PDB file of all heavy atoms in Angstrom:
ATOM      1  N   HIS F   1      97.270 143.566 188.399  1.00 89.00           N
ATOM      2  CA  HIS F   1      98.697 143.686 188.224  1.00 89.00           C
ATOM      3  C   HIS F   1      99.309 142.623 189.110  1.00 89.00           C
ATOM      4  O   HIS F   1      99.084 142.661 190.328  1.00 89.00           O
ATOM      5  CB  HIS F   1      99.221 145.002 188.596  1.00 89.00           C
ATOM      6  CG  HIS F   1     100.654 145.254 188.690  1.00 89.00           C
ATOM      7  ND1 HIS F   1     101.443 145.752 187.524  1.00 89.00           N
ATOM      8  CD2 HIS F   1     101.656 144.853 189.578  1.00 89.00           C
ATOM      9  CE1 HIS F   1     102.645 145.640 187.790  1.00 89.00           C
ATOM     10  NE2 HIS F   1     102.884 145.190 189.009  1.00 89.00           N
ATOM     11  N   THR F   2     100.104 141.626 188.540  1.00 88.00           N
ATOM     12  CA  THR F   2     100.790 140.580 189.233  1.00 88.00           C
ATOM     13  C   THR F   2     102.261 140.702 189.000  1.00 88.00           C
ATOM     14  O   THR F   2     102.746 141.462 188.194  1.00 88.00           O
ATOM     15  CB  THR F   2     100.179 139.274 188.976  1.00 88.00           C
ATOM     16  OG1 THR F   2     100.511 138.878 187.518  1.00 88.00           O
ATOM     17  CG2 THR F   2      98.715 139.143 189.198  1.00 88.00           C
ATOM     18  N   SER F   3     102.976 139.750 189.421  1.00 82.00           N
ATOM     19  CA  SER F   3     104.378 139.558 189.301  1.00 82.00           C
ATOM     20  C   SER F   3     104.577 138.209 188.567  1.00 82.00           C
ATOM     21  O   SER F   3     104.092 137.125 189.159  1.00 82.00           O
ATOM     22  CB  SER F   3     105.101 139.572 190.631  1.00 82.00           C
ATOM     23  OG  SER F   3     106.441 139.349 190.291  1.00 82.00           O
ATOM     24  N   ALA F   4     105.133 138.158 187.359  1.00 78.00           N
ATOM     25  CA  ALA F   4     105.240 136.935 186.663  1.00 78.00           C
ATOM     26  C   ALA F   4     106.056 135.800 187.372  1.00 78.00           C
ATOM     27  O   ALA F   4     105.760 134.596 187.127  1.00 78.00           O
ATOM     28  CB  ALA F   4     106.009 137.211 185.310  1.00 78.00           C
ATOM     29  N   HIS F   5     106.850 136.143 188.302  1.00 81.00           N
ATOM     30  CA  HIS F   5     107.736 135.113 189.007  1.00 81.00           C
ATOM     31  C   HIS F   5     107.086 134.560 190.258  1.00 81.00           C
ATOM     32  O   HIS F   5     107.543 133.664 190.806  1.00 81.00           O
ATOM     33  CB  HIS F   5     109.130 135.643 189.305  1.00 81.00           C
ATOM     34  CG  HIS F   5     109.155 136.783 190.323  1.00 81.00           C
ATOM     35  ND1 HIS F   5     108.822 138.107 190.084  1.00 81.00           N
ATOM     36  CD2 HIS F   5     109.241 136.751 191.654  1.00 81.00           C
ATOM     37  CE1 HIS F   5     108.921 138.837 191.163  1.00 81.00           C
ATOM     38  NE2 HIS F   5     109.199 137.945 192.201  1.00 81.00           N
ATOM     39  N   ALA F   6     105.945 135.141 190.651  1.00 84.00           N
ATOM     40  CA  ALA F   6     105.172 134.648 191.868  1.00 84.00           C
ATOM     41  C   ALA F   6     103.933 134.140 191.427  1.00 84.00           C
ATOM     42  O   ALA F   6     103.236 134.537 190.528  1.00 84.00           O
ATOM     43  CB  ALA F   6     105.036 135.786 192.845  1.00 84.00           C
ATOM     44  N   PRO F   7     103.413 133.097 192.247  1.00 86.00           N
ATOM     45  CA  PRO F   7     102.145 132.471 191.942  1.00 86.00           C
ATOM     46  C   PRO F   7     100.960 133.322 192.477  1.00 86.00           C
ATOM     47  O   PRO F   7      99.884 132.771 192.513  1.00 86.00           O
ATOM     48  CB  PRO F   7     102.263 131.113 192.706  1.00 86.00           C
ATOM     49  CG  PRO F   7     103.115 131.332 193.860  1.00 86.00           C
ATOM     50  CD  PRO F   7     104.145 132.474 193.326  1.00 86.00           C
ATOM     51  N   THR F   8     101.106 134.465 192.708  1.00 91.00           N
ATOM     52  CA  THR F   8     100.057 135.328 193.320  1.00 91.00           C
ATOM     53  C   THR F   8      98.835 135.458 192.336  1.00 91.00           C
ATOM     54  O   THR F   8      97.734 135.913 192.760  1.00 91.00           O
ATOM     55  CB  THR F   8     100.541 136.669 193.828  1.00 91.00           C
ATOM     56  OG1 THR F   8     101.219 137.325 192.761  1.00 91.00           O
ATOM     57  CG2 THR F   8     101.417 136.491 194.977  1.00 91.00           C
ATOM     58  N   ARG F   9      99.017 135.277 191.090  1.00 90.00           N
ATOM     59  CA  ARG F   9      97.995 135.381 190.129  1.00 90.00           C
ATOM     60  C   ARG F   9      96.888 134.424 190.520  1.00 90.00           C
ATOM     61  O   ARG F   9      95.646 134.718 190.367  1.00 90.00           O
ATOM     62  CB  ARG F   9      98.383 135.218 188.584  1.00 90.00           C
ATOM     63  CG  ARG F   9      98.998 133.929 188.384  1.00 90.00           C
ATOM     64  CD  ARG F   9      99.791 133.911 187.046  1.00 90.00           C
ATOM     65  NE  ARG F   9     100.579 132.706 186.943  1.00 90.00           N
ATOM     66  CZ  ARG F   9     101.749 132.609 187.349  1.00 90.00           C
ATOM     67  NH1 ARG F   9     102.352 133.571 188.043  1.00 90.00           N
ATOM     68  NH2 ARG F   9     102.514 131.474 187.179  1.00 90.00           N
ATOM     69  N   LEU F  10      97.317 133.216 191.025  1.00 92.00           N
ATOM     70  CA  LEU F  10      96.337 132.242 191.415  1.00 92.00           C
ATOM     71  C   LEU F  10      95.569 132.649 192.685  1.00 92.00           C
ATOM     72  O   LEU F  10      94.328 132.486 192.882  1.00 92.00           O
ATOM     73  CB  LEU F  10      96.999 130.998 191.701  1.00 92.00           C
ATOM     74  CG  LEU F  10      97.702 130.291 190.458  1.00 92.00           C
ATOM     75  CD1 LEU F  10      98.521 129.133 190.826  1.00 92.00           C
ATOM     76  CD2 LEU F  10      96.696 130.052 189.353  1.00 92.00           C
ATOM     77  N   THR F  11      96.229 133.331 193.606  1.00 95.00           N
ATOM     78  CA  THR F  11      95.638 133.910 194.824  1.00 95.00           C
ATOM     79  C   THR F  11      94.632 134.975 194.457  1.00 95.00           C
ATOM     80  O   THR F  11      93.490 134.981 195.046  1.00 95.00           O
ATOM     81  CB  THR F  11      96.846 134.495 195.744  1.00 95.00           C
ATOM     82  OG1 THR F  11      97.740 133.500 195.965  1.00 95.00           O
ATOM     83  CG2 THR F  11      96.246 135.018 196.910  1.00 95.00           C
ATOM     84  N   ALA F  12      95.042 135.830 193.489  1.00 96.00           N
ATOM     85  CA  ALA F  12      94.044 136.820 193.063  1.00 96.00           C
ATOM     86  C   ALA F  12      92.856 136.178 192.501  1.00 96.00           C
ATOM     87  O   ALA F  12      91.678 136.649 192.875  1.00 96.00           O
ATOM     88  CB  ALA F  12      94.706 137.677 191.950  1.00 96.00           C
ATOM     89  N   GLN F  13      92.908 135.232 191.712  1.00 96.00           N
ATOM     90  CA  GLN F  13      91.745 134.497 191.184  1.00 96.00           C
ATOM     91  C   GLN F  13      90.946 133.889 192.283  1.00 96.00           C
ATOM     92  O   GLN F  13      89.652 133.989 192.187  1.00 96.00           O
ATOM     93  CB  GLN F  13      92.123 133.434 190.165  1.00 96.00           C
ATOM     94  CG  GLN F  13      92.734 133.999 188.865  1.00 96.00           C
ATOM     95  CD  GLN F  13      93.226 132.880 187.967  1.00 96.00           C
ATOM     96  OE1 GLN F  13      92.698 131.822 187.863  1.00 96.00           O
ATOM     97  NE2 GLN F  13      94.355 133.248 187.288  1.00 96.00           N
ATOM     98  N   GLU F  14      91.554 133.272 193.209  1.00 97.00           N
ATOM     99  CA  GLU F  14      90.782 132.736 194.353  1.00 97.00           C
ATOM    100  C   GLU F  14      89.983 133.692 195.128  1.00 97.00           C
ATOM    101  O   GLU F  14      88.803 133.543 195.478  1.00 97.00           O
ATOM    102  CB  GLU F  14      91.782 131.915 195.318  1.00 97.00           C
ATOM    103  CG  GLU F  14      92.408 130.691 194.725  1.00 97.00           C
ATOM    104  CD  GLU F  14      93.457 130.159 195.607  1.00 97.00           C
ATOM    105  OE1 GLU F  14      93.602 130.553 196.812  1.00 97.00           O
ATOM    106  OE2 GLU F  14      94.217 129.337 195.166  1.00 97.00           O
ATOM    107  N   ILE F  15      90.601 134.793 195.458  1.00 97.00           N
ATOM    108  CA  ILE F  15      89.917 135.915 196.199  1.00 97.00           C
ATOM    109  C   ILE F  15      88.745 136.512 195.334  1.00 97.00           C
ATOM    110  O   ILE F  15      87.558 136.586 195.841  1.00 97.00           O
ATOM    111  CB  ILE F  15      90.876 137.028 196.569  1.00 97.00           C
ATOM    112  CG1 ILE F  15      91.903 136.568 197.573  1.00 97.00           C
ATOM    113  CG2 ILE F  15      90.162 138.318 197.054  1.00 97.00           C
ATOM    114  CD1 ILE F  15      93.045 137.431 197.844  1.00 97.00           C
ATOM    115  N   LEU F  16      89.060 136.819 194.075  1.00 98.00           N
ATOM    116  CA  LEU F  16      87.947 137.361 193.277  1.00 98.00           C
ATOM    117  C   LEU F  16      86.776 136.447 193.137  1.00 98.00           C
ATOM    118  O   LEU F  16      85.511 136.821 193.175  1.00 98.00           O
ATOM    119  CB  LEU F  16      88.457 137.908 191.910  1.00 98.00           C
ATOM    120  CG  LEU F  16      89.466 138.996 192.058  1.00 98.00           C
ATOM    121  CD1 LEU F  16      90.137 139.212 190.598  1.00 98.00           C
ATOM    122  CD2 LEU F  16      88.938 140.247 192.586  1.00 98.00           C
ATOM    123  N   ARG F  17      87.056 135.124 192.868  1.00 98.00           N
ATOM    124  CA  ARG F  17      86.025 134.111 192.745  1.00 98.00           C
ATOM    125  C   ARG F  17      85.233 133.936 194.107  1.00 98.00           C
ATOM    126  O   ARG F  17      84.052 133.858 193.899  1.00 98.00           O
ATOM    127  CB  ARG F  17      86.681 132.715 192.280  1.00 98.00           C
ATOM    128  CG  ARG F  17      85.547 131.666 192.048  1.00 98.00           C
ATOM    129  CD  ARG F  17      86.117 130.333 191.723  1.00 98.00           C
ATOM    130  NE  ARG F  17      86.988 130.287 190.560  1.00 98.00           N
ATOM    131  CZ  ARG F  17      88.208 129.927 190.574  1.00 98.00           C
ATOM    132  NH1 ARG F  17      88.848 129.572 191.693  1.00 98.00           N
ATOM    133  NH2 ARG F  17      88.947 129.985 189.453  1.00 98.00           N
ATOM    134  N   SER F  18      85.920 134.074 195.227  1.00 98.00           N
ATOM    135  CA  SER F  18      85.273 133.976 196.439  1.00 98.00           C
ATOM    136  C   SER F  18      84.305 135.062 196.756  1.00 98.00           C
ATOM    137  O   SER F  18      83.398 135.006 197.484  1.00 98.00           O
ATOM    138  CB  SER F  18      86.253 133.796 197.617  1.00 98.00           C
ATOM    139  OG  SER F  18      86.829 135.016 197.956  1.00 98.00           O
ATOM    140  N   GLU F  19      84.595 136.185 196.064  1.00 98.00           N
ATOM    141  CA  GLU F  19      83.700 137.324 196.150  1.00 98.00           C
ATOM    142  C   GLU F  19      82.528 137.418 195.202  1.00 98.00           C
ATOM    143  O   GLU F  19      81.766 138.191 195.164  1.00 98.00           O
ATOM    144  CB  GLU F  19      84.431 138.625 196.085  1.00 98.00           C
ATOM    145  CG  GLU F  19      85.390 138.947 197.251  1.00 98.00           C
ATOM    146  CD  GLU F  19      84.615 139.275 198.505  1.00 98.00           C
ATOM    147  OE1 GLU F  19      83.648 139.904 198.431  1.00 98.00           O
ATOM    148  OE2 GLU F  19      85.165 138.886 199.603  1.00 98.00           O
ATOM    149  N   GLY F  20      82.481 136.222 194.281  1.00 98.00           N
ATOM    150  CA  GLY F  20      81.458 136.247 193.323  1.00 98.00           C
ATOM    151  C   GLY F  20      81.723 136.748 191.917  1.00 98.00           C
ATOM    152  O   GLY F  20      80.806 136.932 191.146  1.00 98.00           O
ATOM    153  N   VAL F  21      82.921 137.100 191.772  1.00 97.00           N
ATOM    154  CA  VAL F  21      83.292 137.659 190.442  1.00 97.00           C
ATOM    155  C   VAL F  21      83.364 136.510 189.395  1.00 97.00           C
ATOM    156  O   VAL F  21      84.001 135.512 189.635  1.00 97.00           O
ATOM    157  CB  VAL F  21      84.651 138.419 190.507  1.00 97.00           C
ATOM    158  CG1 VAL F  21      85.131 138.867 189.168  1.00 97.00           C
ATOM    159  CG2 VAL F  21      84.588 139.606 191.469  1.00 97.00           C
ATOM    160  N   ASP F  22      82.891 136.720 188.153  1.00 95.00           N
ATOM    161  CA  ASP F  22      82.953 135.914 187.117  1.00 95.00           C
ATOM    162  C   ASP F  22      84.412 136.109 186.563  1.00 95.00           C
ATOM    163  O   ASP F  22      84.721 137.264 186.118  1.00 95.00           O
ATOM    164  CB  ASP F  22      81.918 136.185 186.037  1.00 95.00           C
ATOM    165  CG  ASP F  22      82.085 135.442 184.675  1.00 95.00           C
ATOM    166  OD1 ASP F  22      83.007 134.631 184.534  1.00 95.00           O
ATOM    167  OD2 ASP F  22      81.387 135.613 183.802  1.00 95.00           O
ATOM    168  N   LEU F  23      85.259 135.111 186.517  1.00 94.00           N
ATOM    169  CA  LEU F  23      86.633 135.268 186.196  1.00 94.00           C
ATOM    170  C   LEU F  23      86.709 135.790 184.647  1.00 94.00           C
ATOM    171  O   LEU F  23      87.849 136.087 184.168  1.00 94.00           O
ATOM    172  CB  LEU F  23      87.514 134.016 186.513  1.00 94.00           C
ATOM    173  CG  LEU F  23      87.688 133.913 188.019  1.00 94.00           C
ATOM    174  CD1 LEU F  23      88.570 132.705 188.304  1.00 94.00           C
ATOM    175  CD2 LEU F  23      88.195 135.220 188.752  1.00 94.00           C
ATOM    176  N   GLY F  24      85.728 135.573 183.847  1.00 91.00           N
ATOM    177  CA  GLY F  24      85.698 135.942 182.526  1.00 91.00           C
ATOM    178  C   GLY F  24      85.790 137.510 182.410  1.00 91.00           C
ATOM    179  O   GLY F  24      86.142 138.056 181.272  1.00 91.00           O
ATOM    180  N   ALA F  25      85.534 138.182 183.455  1.00 93.00           N
ATOM    181  CA  ALA F  25      85.597 139.686 183.495  1.00 93.00           C
ATOM    182  C   ALA F  25      86.922 140.182 184.084  1.00 93.00           C
ATOM    183  O   ALA F  25      87.172 141.340 184.415  1.00 93.00           O
ATOM    184  CB  ALA F  25      84.522 140.252 184.271  1.00 93.00           C
ATOM    185  N   VAL F  26      87.894 139.281 184.160  1.00 94.00           N
ATOM    186  CA  VAL F  26      89.194 139.580 184.912  1.00 94.00           C
ATOM    187  C   VAL F  26      90.405 139.311 183.933  1.00 94.00           C
ATOM    188  O   VAL F  26      90.395 138.331 183.259  1.00 94.00           O
ATOM    189  CB  VAL F  26      89.382 138.666 186.227  1.00 94.00           C
ATOM    190  CG1 VAL F  26      90.799 138.983 186.793  1.00 94.00           C
ATOM    191  CG2 VAL F  26      88.235 138.898 187.126  1.00 94.00           C
ATOM    192  N   VAL F  27      91.247 140.263 183.844  1.00 88.00           N
ATOM    193  CA  VAL F  27      92.586 140.104 183.107  1.00 88.00           C
ATOM    194  C   VAL F  27      93.526 140.115 184.172  1.00 88.00           C
ATOM    195  O   VAL F  27      93.693 140.989 185.019  1.00 88.00           O
ATOM    196  CB  VAL F  27      92.740 141.283 182.179  1.00 88.00           C
ATOM    197  CG1 VAL F  27      94.182 141.221 181.549  1.00 88.00           C
ATOM    198  CG2 VAL F  27      91.704 141.338 181.037  1.00 88.00           C
ATOM    199  N   ILE F  28      94.394 139.030 184.181  1.00 88.00           N
ATOM    200  CA  ILE F  28      95.524 138.967 185.017  1.00 88.00           C
ATOM    201  C   ILE F  28      96.756 139.395 184.285  1.00 88.00           C
ATOM    202  O   ILE F  28      97.195 138.680 183.361  1.00 88.00           O
ATOM    203  CB  ILE F  28      95.805 137.478 185.519  1.00 88.00           C
ATOM    204  CG1 ILE F  28      94.434 136.940 186.208  1.00 88.00           C
ATOM    205  CG2 ILE F  28      96.941 137.302 186.493  1.00 88.00           C
ATOM    206  CD1 ILE F  28      94.059 137.546 187.516  1.00 88.00           C
TER     207      ILE F  28
END
């Protein structure tokens, strides 16, 4: 769950990727 007006969706992707998550398994 993100906020459309904030760039935090990119932050979420960076954190998940750094933990080894395949971003194909993620819905932002």
Side-chain angles (χ1 to χ4, degrees):
H1 173 97
T2 66
S3 179
H5 68 276
T8 52
R9 61 192 168 275
L10 300 175
T11 304
Q13 291 175 37
E14 290 170 15
I15 291 170
L16 296 173
R17 185 183 300 120
S18 76
E19 290 290 323
V21 172
D22 173 2
L23 295 183
V26 177
V27 171
I28 304 293

